[in-house]
Amino acid sequence: MRRNVTETVLVTGGTGFVAGWCVVELLERGYAVRTTVRDPAKREAVRRATGGGDRLTFATADLTGDDGWDAAMAGCDYVLHVASPLGADGHGGPDALTGPARDGTLRVLRAATRAGVRRVVMTSSTAAATPRLASGVSDETVWTDPDDPNLTAYRRSKVLAERAAWDFMDAYNGGTTLSTVLPVAVFGPLLSPGNASSVDVIARLLAGRPPVVPRFGFAIVDVRDLADLHLRAMTSPAAAGERFIGAGEFRWLSEIAETLRSRLGDRAARVPTRGVPDVAVRALARFVPALRTLTPLLGRELAFSSAKARRVLGFSPRPAAETVVDCAESLDAAPLAAGRPA
């Protein structure tokens, strides 16, 4: 439902997969939107991808520096802090992402509180709410142990950044409130080809890579449902000071592959069908760094409950099969036509 433009929302990291859909949802609902980009040259690409008109403006700011954040926050009512530092697991040491993620979050919170923003909604991750043992269902009361030796640099950065955010708010005495949203694996239609993120899993399956299906699995959330959850957390009085897990159904990689083959026909002809023993995956991981970071999840069914988000915010995720198929179809679609609302 559209509304009169009376409120402005800052979305950090407008070139990103999740941030882009947050911008779309906000514009569709009549908000004025400002989004940050690190490179001003990316502004028009974001505008085209999101369908932004004169209600979409830009600010240049980087999580690794202080410049630009006060200007970005000026006049904003809400902030969706979606941006994450760039980097890859296994490069730059175990703390390569932790400092930028934690320090960037604190930069955003300091600027938001100085500006008198009503609420900040921070995108965290279920990487910050994962128990060591693969038993039961995790919820918002669980915190990942940052000293777990099996944590990748990315997962450790997520838990420490969210911890820093809550510690900051505990010491803060003012009118700004914080909510955090913790998504599982995010799939769904792309707005542009340059912000694939986790969607690369689907792209690789469609390309037949790897030629076998390891015993990995993950809970799935549609990027459109995740954007909606951010907006619900932004406006609900009950969301202040709360964490919310955004999770849909769990699917093994083999089940995702089967969905692609059954729903896409010839377009999924290269999707692998054969499984591979866990021992073979672990042996291969010694020579493939990207695979090595995933081996702690091999055969592990991590379940996350979104009951709180459903109960408090009315979160209602769509079926995983719909998300996977829409994601795959967007990979074949023309750029900027990947499921964006008209």
Side-chain angles (χ1 to χ4, degrees):
M1 182 174 66
R2 294 185 67 87
R3 54 200 301 284
N4 292 326
V5 180
T6 58
E7 296 173 317
T8 300
V9 184
L10 177 69
V11 180
T12 66
T15 58
F17 182 37
V18 176
W21 274 105
C22 287
V23 170
V24 167
E25 287 295 321
L26 287 163
L27 291 171
E28 284 291 304
R29 299 182 200 192
Y31 289 95
V33 181
R34 185 180 303 151
T35 188
T36 64
V37 292
R38 294 185 306 126
D39 181 357
K42 299 291 182 67
R43 293 179 179 184
E44 288 310 308
V46 174
R47 191 183 299 279
R48 289 194 302 271
T50 60
D54 58 5
R55 286 186 291 112
L56 176 62
T57 58
F58 295 88
T60 302
D62 190 320
L63 292 177
T64 61
D66 294 332
D67 292 348
W69 286 108
D70 285 330
M73 298 286 173
C76 289
D77 298 279
Y78 303 101
V79 174
L80 302 185
H81 176 38
V82 190
S84 293
L86 300 176
D89 285 328
H91 293 81
D95 296 322
L97 297 181
T98 297
R102 180 184 56 222
D103 296 346
T105 293
L106 293 176
R107 282 190 177 93
V108 169
L109 287 174
R110 291 186 187 111
T113 53
R114 283 195 298 266
V117 165
R118 293 185 219 167
R119 178 168 301 163
V120 177
V121 178
M122 173 188 173
T123 310
S124 182
S125 167
T126 48
T130 304
R132 282 202 184 200
L133 300 177
S135 60
V137 178
S138 185
D139 62 19
E140 293 86 353
T141 65
V142 174
W143 279 92
T144 302
D145 179 1
D147 296 323
D148 183 343
N150 290 320
L151 286 187
T152 63
Y154 169 79
R155 296 171 70 83
R156 188 168 186 269
S157 76
K158 283 297 185 181
V159 64
L160 292 178
E162 191 188 350
R163 279 288 194 192
W166 288 117
D167 289 345
F168 175 90
M169 294 306 294
D170 285 344
Y172 166 71
N173 184 24
T176 302
T177 59
L178 174 68
S179 300
T180 58
V181 172
L182 289 69
V184 289
V186 185
F187 297 119
L190 291 171
L191 289 170
S192 65
N195 62 2
S197 188
S198 53
V199 170
D200 188 54
V201 172
I202 306 298
R204 286 178 175 273
L205 284 174
L206 291 170
R209 304 194 311 269
V212 292
V213 185
R215 205 159 59 96
F216 293 125
F218 25 75
I220 292 171
V221 66
D222 192 290
V223 67
R224 295 162 292 188
D225 298 330
L226 181 60
D228 174 70
L229 181 57
H230 278 73
L231 271 63
R232 290 172 183 265
M234 181 181 85
T235 57
S236 171
E242 300 289 344
R243 307 173 88 199
F244 295 97
I245 286 176
E249 300 166 307
F250 180 92
R251 287 291 181 269
W252 292 104
L253 200 59
S254 59
E255 294 175 313
I256 293 172
E258 175 56 33
T259 294
L260 293 172
R261 290 194 301 270
S262 64
R263 298 282 291 274
L264 296 182
D266 291 343
R267 288 179 293 168
R270 300 175 68 183
V271 173
T273 60
R274 293 188 300 113
V276 58
D278 293 354
V279 64
V281 176
R282 291 192 176 94
L284 183 62
R286 285 184 284 176
F287 308 100
V288 182
L291 190 58
R292 193 180 310 140
T293 65
L294 295 173
T295 52
L297 303 178
L298 191 62
R300 187 177 180 187
E301 183 172 349
L302 291 172
F304 296 93
S305 172
S306 62
K308 180 179 176 181
R310 294 171 188 261
R311 181 183 70 254
V312 177
L313 301 179
F315 176 59
S316 181
R318 68 196 70 198
E322 178 183 338
T323 297
V324 167
V325 171
D326 286 354
C327 179
E329 290 184 335
S330 82
L331 290 166
D332 286 333
L336 310 184
R340 177 167 55 83

